[in-house]
mmCIF file of all heavy atoms in Angstrom:
data_model
loop_
_atom_site.group_PDB
_atom_site.id
_atom_site.type_symbol
_atom_site.label_atom_id
_atom_site.label_comp_id
_atom_site.label_asym_id
_atom_site.label_seq_id
_atom_site.Cartn_x
_atom_site.Cartn_y
_atom_site.Cartn_z
ATOM 1 N N HIS A 644 1.581 168.365 -1.475
ATOM 2 C CA HIS A 644 1.004 169.338 -0.562
ATOM 3 C C HIS A 644 1.426 170.741 -0.961
ATOM 4 O O HIS A 644 2.524 170.943 -1.556
ATOM 5 C CB HIS A 644 1.534 169.141 0.901
ATOM 6 C CG HIS A 644 1.269 167.773 1.437
ATOM 7 N ND1 HIS A 644 0.270 167.443 2.297
ATOM 8 C CD2 HIS A 644 1.916 166.601 1.242
ATOM 9 C CE1 HIS A 644 0.274 166.201 2.600
ATOM 10 N NE2 HIS A 644 1.266 165.622 1.977
ATOM 11 N N SER A 645 0.664 171.726 -0.633
ATOM 12 C CA SER A 645 1.066 173.113 -0.839
ATOM 13 C C SER A 645 1.837 173.628 0.374
ATOM 14 O O SER A 645 2.595 174.579 0.332
ATOM 15 C CB SER A 645 -0.162 174.008 -1.092
ATOM 16 O OG SER A 645 -1.045 173.966 0.029
ATOM 17 N N GLU A 646 1.641 172.936 1.518
ATOM 18 C CA GLU A 646 2.369 173.259 2.762
ATOM 19 C C GLU A 646 2.215 172.079 3.736
ATOM 20 O O GLU A 646 1.379 171.171 3.514
ATOM 21 C CB GLU A 646 1.780 174.493 3.428
ATOM 22 C CG GLU A 646 0.332 174.386 3.819
ATOM 23 C CD GLU A 646 -0.245 175.655 4.384
ATOM 24 O OE1 GLU A 646 -0.002 176.734 3.834
ATOM 25 O OE2 GLU A 646 -0.970 175.517 5.427
ATOM 26 N N LEU A 647 3.089 172.049 4.730
ATOM 27 C CA LEU A 647 3.036 171.020 5.729
ATOM 28 C C LEU A 647 2.839 171.640 7.119
ATOM 29 O O LEU A 647 3.368 172.724 7.381
ATOM 30 C CB LEU A 647 4.349 170.229 5.721
ATOM 31 C CG LEU A 647 4.674 169.339 4.513
ATOM 32 C CD1 LEU A 647 6.069 168.778 4.596
ATOM 33 C CD2 LEU A 647 3.645 168.225 4.361
ATOM 34 N N THR A 648 2.159 170.889 7.969
ATOM 35 C CA THR A 648 2.129 171.221 9.384
ATOM 36 C C THR A 648 3.196 170.462 10.080
ATOM 37 O O THR A 648 3.730 169.505 9.540
ATOM 38 C CB THR A 648 0.755 170.860 9.999
ATOM 39 O OG1 THR A 648 0.625 169.456 9.999
ATOM 40 C CG2 THR A 648 -0.404 171.554 9.301
ATOM 41 N N PRO A 649 3.663 170.902 11.285
ATOM 42 C CA PRO A 649 4.659 170.133 12.033
ATOM 43 C C PRO A 649 4.211 168.684 12.229
ATOM 44 O O PRO A 649 5.068 167.786 12.165
ATOM 45 C CB PRO A 649 4.812 170.911 13.301
ATOM 46 C CG PRO A 649 4.397 172.311 12.968
ATOM 47 C CD PRO A 649 3.297 172.170 11.970
ATOM 48 N N GLN A 650 2.957 168.480 12.513
ATOM 49 C CA GLN A 650 2.466 167.095 12.730
ATOM 50 C C GLN A 650 2.537 166.237 11.485
ATOM 51 O O GLN A 650 2.979 165.089 11.536
ATOM 52 C CB GLN A 650 1.032 167.153 13.234
ATOM 53 C CG GLN A 650 0.827 167.782 14.578
ATOM 54 C CD GLN A 650 0.817 169.310 14.571
ATOM 55 O OE1 GLN A 650 0.843 169.942 13.514
ATOM 56 N NE2 GLN A 650 0.768 169.906 15.764
ATOM 57 N N GLU A 651 2.196 166.847 10.330
ATOM 58 C CA GLU A 651 2.308 166.106 9.081
ATOM 59 C C GLU A 651 3.790 165.777 8.744
ATOM 60 O O GLU A 651 4.090 164.684 8.303
ATOM 61 C CB GLU A 651 1.697 166.959 7.944
ATOM 62 C CG GLU A 651 0.187 167.017 7.994
ATOM 63 C CD GLU A 651 -0.363 167.987 6.973
ATOM 64 O OE1 GLU A 651 0.341 168.935 6.622
ATOM 65 O OE2 GLU A 651 -1.532 167.803 6.534
ATOM 66 N N SER A 652 4.613 166.766 8.935
ATOM 67 C CA SER A 652 6.022 166.555 8.656
ATOM 68 C C SER A 652 6.603 165.425 9.446
ATOM 69 O O SER A 652 7.312 164.541 8.935
ATOM 70 C CB SER A 652 6.802 167.866 8.920
ATOM 71 O OG SER A 652 8.166 167.720 8.618
ATOM 72 N N ARG A 653 6.298 165.389 10.793
ATOM 73 C CA ARG A 653 6.830 164.305 11.622
ATOM 74 C C ARG A 653 6.192 162.954 11.187
ATOM 75 O O ARG A 653 6.874 161.939 11.265
ATOM 76 C CB ARG A 653 6.493 164.625 13.093
ATOM 77 C CG ARG A 653 7.394 165.692 13.674
ATOM 78 C CD ARG A 653 7.300 165.640 15.226
ATOM 79 N NE ARG A 653 5.995 165.847 15.755
ATOM 80 C CZ ARG A 653 5.519 167.039 16.014
ATOM 81 N NH1 ARG A 653 6.205 168.121 15.824
ATOM 82 N NH2 ARG A 653 4.265 167.141 16.472
ATOM 83 N N ALA A 654 4.960 162.979 10.807
ATOM 84 C CA ALA A 654 4.269 161.736 10.370
ATOM 85 C C ALA A 654 4.960 161.164 9.165
ATOM 86 O O ALA A 654 4.963 159.910 8.972
ATOM 87 C CB ALA A 654 2.810 161.975 10.129
ATOM 88 N N TYR A 655 5.521 162.011 8.351
ATOM 89 C CA TYR A 655 6.235 161.510 7.106
ATOM 90 C C TYR A 655 7.689 161.173 7.444
ATOM 91 O O TYR A 655 8.424 160.810 6.527
ATOM 92 C CB TYR A 655 6.231 162.619 6.041
ATOM 93 C CG TYR A 655 4.911 162.691 5.326
ATOM 94 C CD1 TYR A 655 4.183 163.895 5.289
ATOM 95 C CD2 TYR A 655 4.356 161.576 4.651
ATOM 96 C CE1 TYR A 655 2.980 163.971 4.602
ATOM 97 C CE2 TYR A 655 3.168 161.705 3.944
ATOM 98 C CZ TYR A 655 2.509 162.875 3.963
ATOM 99 O OH TYR A 655 1.292 162.966 3.255
ATOM 100 N N GLY A 656 8.074 161.294 8.683
ATOM 101 C CA GLY A 656 9.447 160.867 9.078
ATOM 102 C C GLY A 656 10.495 161.933 9.089
ATOM 103 O O GLY A 656 11.693 161.662 9.085
ATOM 104 N N VAL A 657 10.067 163.214 9.101
ATOM 105 C CA VAL A 657 11.012 164.343 9.183
ATOM 106 C C VAL A 657 11.337 164.667 10.625
ATOM 107 O O VAL A 657 10.454 164.920 11.410
ATOM 108 C CB VAL A 657 10.451 165.606 8.422
ATOM 109 C CG1 VAL A 657 11.452 166.758 8.559
ATOM 110 C CG2 VAL A 657 10.135 165.288 6.981
ATOM 111 N N GLN A 658 12.610 164.608 10.924
ATOM 112 C CA GLN A 658 13.097 164.983 12.239
ATOM 113 C C GLN A 658 14.114 166.065 12.143
ATOM 114 O O GLN A 658 15.019 166.014 11.254
ATOM 115 C CB GLN A 658 13.690 163.768 12.968
ATOM 116 C CG GLN A 658 12.652 162.704 13.383
ATOM 117 C CD GLN A 658 11.826 163.209 14.570
ATOM 118 O OE1 GLN A 658 12.358 163.777 15.544
ATOM 119 N NE2 GLN A 658 10.530 163.016 14.474
ATOM 120 N N VAL A 659 14.037 167.081 13.004
ATOM 121 C CA VAL A 659 14.988 168.202 12.963
ATOM 122 C C VAL A 659 15.872 168.197 14.262
ATOM 123 O O VAL A 659 15.314 168.144 15.358
ATOM 124 C CB VAL A 659 14.253 169.558 12.865
ATOM 125 C CG1 VAL A 659 15.257 170.692 12.707
ATOM 126 C CG2 VAL A 659 13.301 169.556 11.718
#
Side-chain angles (χ1 to χ4, degrees):
H644 304 260
S645 60
E646 61 184 43
L647 293 172
T648 66
Q650 292 81 5
E651 289 172 332
S652 182
R653 285 198 300 272
Y655 283 122
V657 177
Q658 288 288 315
V659 185

